[in-house]
Amino acid sequence: MADPTAQDKNLPASQRKLEKARADGQVARSRDLGHFAAMAAGGALLVTFAPTAAAWLKRLLARGLQFDATALQSTDFMAARLGELATGLVVVVIPFGLAMMAVALAGGFALSGWTWTFKPLKPRFDAFDPLSGLARIFSKGQLVNTTKASVLAIALGTLAAFYLRHHLDAWSGVLAMPLPTAIERAAGTTLGGLGLMLLVLAGFALVDVPLQRHMHAQRLKMSHQELKQEHKELEGNAEVKGKVRARMREMTKRRMIAAVPKADLVVMNPTHYAVALQYDEAKMGAPRVVAKGADLLALRIRDVAKGAQVPVLEAPVLARALYAHAELDREIPAALFAAVAQVLAYVYQLRASLQGRAPAPAGLPAIDVPVELDPHHGMIA
């Protein structure tokens, strides 16, 4: 029986389905194109090597008709002569057939390219189902192919009948001609019929190539449900992806919290944002963000920093700018170099005063942060 969802398949096949069909060996193939290519190659070879082939055929016939009394007295003469003639025919026919086969294969590959798979050779037990077999026999594609093959057979048969009728005298006259002349006349008449046959095959190939592509696209059409299922398979289950993202966020938080004690300072907003910075003049070209967070995560960063005796400075504008524009484990943007340098200088001076190596700083100086880097600038205005 036909697929009940076939009438719902009105969407073109996705790239993934096309690739899967190609992997399964399902590609558009035109038999008429292969037939035309093979016959055209055969005709071209006949025309190209006609003089050589005619001379070879004359020699072969002459050799086959040579007898003498001594040869006839041998019982093995006829078998040896037949073997010799058969070997000569095989030597010529096999390369000719191989050339036609290669051109026919090339014509098939020209439509859909090379496809190498063993999947069509696997046994399919569903093919033994008589109902599915009847469905395939009476399917639209099979009906089109059968009609096309019937029309082609009728066209070639009709053409052959008319050609033979109009050249009957030429064929019958061959019998009265000497053998070399008869071979030449028969070859010329055969090539004329072959040319007409090639014209018919070329016309059917021009029709069959776009027809096979259209039928292949129709067979691979998808329904909305199939498209949704494919999208779900490609994107993955939303629940599983959510869990993966949550797991990754948790791992990132743990890594950031572990890096806070190694920071040189933490800039806060004072409670909404927190950014931990680390700077090593010998290894870094600019301060690097080792941790950042908002709300509860910001408070967690602050508490860990205080527990590790890392300076925590309240600089709302700088904290917002760093949180918005600085990437984790990356150096801060160049536009914030001056502002961060002011803060680091204050922190280094504060540490030196605590160790008794420098006077205590007067206070945190005014930090120059470009207004365009403050994500809250427009809201505050």
Side-chain angles (χ1 to χ4, degrees), residues 15-323:
Q15 184 63 31
R16 182 171 181 264
K17 186 169 184 178
L18 291 175
E19 294 174 355
K20 185 178 180 181
R22 174 175 287 275
D24 293 338
Q26 300 178 16
V27 293
R29 296 294 189 199
S30 174
R31 294 182 179 179
D32 291 337
L33 179 60
H35 296 162
F36 167 72
M39 297 305 297
L45 290 174
L46 286 177
V47 171
T48 303
F49 298 101
T52 305
W56 170 81
L57 185 59
K58 292 177 185 179
R59 292 194 300 269
L60 186 66
L61 290 175
R63 176 64 178 166
L65 296 177
Q66 288 179 356
F67 300 96
D68 53 24
T70 305
L72 294 176
Q73 292 176 0
S74 174
T75 56
D76 298 332
F77 172 76
M78 187 59 67
R81 178 59 59 84
L82 288 177
E84 180 183 349
L85 296 177
T87 302
L89 287 173
V90 167
V91 169
V92 174
V93 171
I94 287 182
F96 186 79
L98 290 177
M100 293 181 63
M101 183 184 302
V103 174
L105 291 175
F109 298 146
L111 182 58
S112 297
W114 174 267
T115 302
W116 181 264
T117 177
F118 290 102
K119 289 187 178 181
L121 301 179
K122 292 182 179 180
R124 294 179 54 190
F125 297 101
D126 58 337
F128 295 99
D129 186 2
L131 295 180
S132 62
L134 290 175
R136 287 192 298 271
I137 292 175
F138 295 101
S139 63
K140 180 180 178 180
Q142 189 66 26
L143 179 62
V144 171
N145 289 330
T146 302
T147 303
K148 181 170 59 63
S150 301
V151 173
L152 177 60
I154 293 173
L156 291 178
T158 304
L159 176 66
F162 276 99
Y163 187 78
L164 289 176
R165 180 179 178 182
H166 286 81
H167 292 80
L168 187 60
D169 295 339
W171 283 107
S172 59
V174 168
L175 299 176
M177 296 179 181
L179 183 58
T181 306
I183 292 176
E184 294 178 0
R185 180 65 60 86
T189 306
T190 302
L191 288 177
L194 180 61
L196 293 177
M197 183 182 68
L198 287 176
L199 290 177
V200 175
L201 290 177
F204 272 82
L206 289 176
V207 174
D208 189 54
V209 168
L211 177 62
Q212 293 299 329
R213 286 179 174 173
H214 173 73
M215 293 175 60
H216 180 66
Q218 291 293 115
R219 287 193 296 268
L220 295 181
K221 276 192 170 182
M222 305 174 66
S223 64
H224 288 277
Q225 183 62 31
E226 289 176 335
L227 194 61
K228 290 180 180 179
Q229 182 64 28
E230 181 182 281
H231 181 74
K232 183 182 295 185
E233 292 176 356
L234 289 175
E235 297 297 330
N237 188 284
E239 183 178 354
V240 174
K241 290 180 64 179
K243 291 182 179 179
V244 171
R245 286 195 296 266
R247 179 64 176 170
M248 293 179 64
R249 286 195 298 267
E250 184 63 27
M251 292 175 63
T252 302
K253 290 179 182 178
R254 293 180 181 178
R255 180 168 56 86
M256 289 193 303
I257 296 300
V260 169
K262 301 176 183 179
D264 290 309
L265 77 154
V266 173
V267 183
M268 294 201 64
N269 189 31
T271 57
H272 294 295
Y273 301 104
V275 179
L277 301 175
Q278 184 181 20
Y279 179 60
D280 187 345
E281 185 177 0
K283 299 179 181 179
M284 302 178 186
R288 184 185 300 270
V289 177
V290 296
K292 69 175 187 175
D295 300 327
L296 295 178
L297 182 56
L299 297 177
R300 176 64 175 161
I301 293 174
R302 182 196 63 184
D303 295 339
V304 173
K306 288 184 177 181
Q309 296 183 352
V310 176
V312 178
L313 301 181
E314 292 187 8
V317 179
L318 180 59
R320 292 195 298 262
L322 287 171
Y323 184 85

Side-chain angles (χ1 to χ4, degrees), residues 265-268 277 313-322 335-347 363-371 374:
L265 77 154
V266 173
V267 183
M268 294 201 64
L277 301 175
L313 301 181
E314 292 187 8
V317 179
L318 180 59
R320 292 195 298 262
L322 287 171
L336 296 174
F337 281 180
V340 173
Q342 289 179 289
V343 175
L344 284 174
Y346 175 80
V347 170
L364 184 64
I367 302 174
D368 184 16
V369 178
V371 293
D374 184 5

